[in-house]
Amino acid sequence: MPDSTTTRMPKSLIGILVLVCVHALGAALGGWTVIDENQRKQDHGQDLLMPMATAWLLALFCYGLAALHLICVVLARGRRPWVRVALIVCLSVAALGMVLTFLGSLTAGAPSLPAFLFACLDVAAVWTVSGETGRRYFSVRAPGRGVTTT
């Protein structure tokens, strides 16, 4: 029988962690794509998307962001307050990126419904993690392993 200090993770936070994993996958794939596309253009003698050093820096940023996303997902169960802050920052960056993507697609004349959907999901996720649900879950320390309370 679970004791009174054990609290399950709310389903909304589980959904948010799945969304963060999707963003991590997208960031890692995006970093790889920038390097790959630049390399292809260089092989065919075309103008590069950006200088190769800048492409590598962008790819490293994307890989670092993906790693931070995954670290947050793995450590979320430990209920550390800094994980909540890191999730808020990561989701805010993702939301801003999706809003800019959607605005860019609007100006190009081909509105991107997936970008709009992800932007809305990201804003809702930031709202949830920074709101009462996130505060309540991440403010309570997880029970220690092997420690018994009387």
Side-chain angles (χ1 to χ4, degrees):
M1 182 169 163
D3 64 14
S4 61
T5 60
T6 304
T7 305
R8 291 181 168 256
M9 183 179 289
K11 291 184 191 224
S12 60
L13 284 179
I14 293 171
I16 289 169
L17 294 177
V18 169
L19 179 67
V20 169
C21 286
V22 169
H23 278 301
L25 180 63
L29 185 62
W32 174 79
T33 302
V34 166
I35 296 296
D36 186 52
E37 186 62 29
N38 237 14
Q39 190 65 44
R40 285 179 199 228
K41 286 189 176 278
Q42 189 175 27
D43 291 344
H44 294 309
Q46 299 173 343
D47 290 336
L48 299 177
L49 293 173
M50 59 187 73
M52 198 54 109
T54 307
W56 276 104
L57 283 174
L58 180 64
L60 288 175
F61 175 77
C62 289
Y63 295 148
L65 189 62
L68 181 61
H69 281 17
L70 293 177
I71 288 169
C72 287
V73 169
V74 169
L75 296 178
R77 191 164 183 188
R79 298 182 176 189
R80 293 168 178 88
W82 68 266
V83 173
R84 177 176 174 246
V85 172
L87 276 173
I88 291 169
V89 170
C90 288
L91 286 167
S92 297
V93 168
L96 180 64
M98 286 294 113
V99 166
L100 291 176
T101 300
F102 179 67
L103 291 176
S105 70
L106 274 179
T107 59
S112 174
L113 185 60
F116 179 73
L117 178 66
F118 271 102
C120 292
L121 287 173
D122 290 337
V123 169
V126 170
W127 186 279
T128 303
V129 172
S130 63
E132 187 60 34
T133 302
R135 188 176 309 115
R136 188 176 39 228
Y137 180 76
F138 287 108
S139 66
V140 178
R141 296 291 284 168
R145 294 180 188 181
V147 177
T148 58
T149 57
T150 56

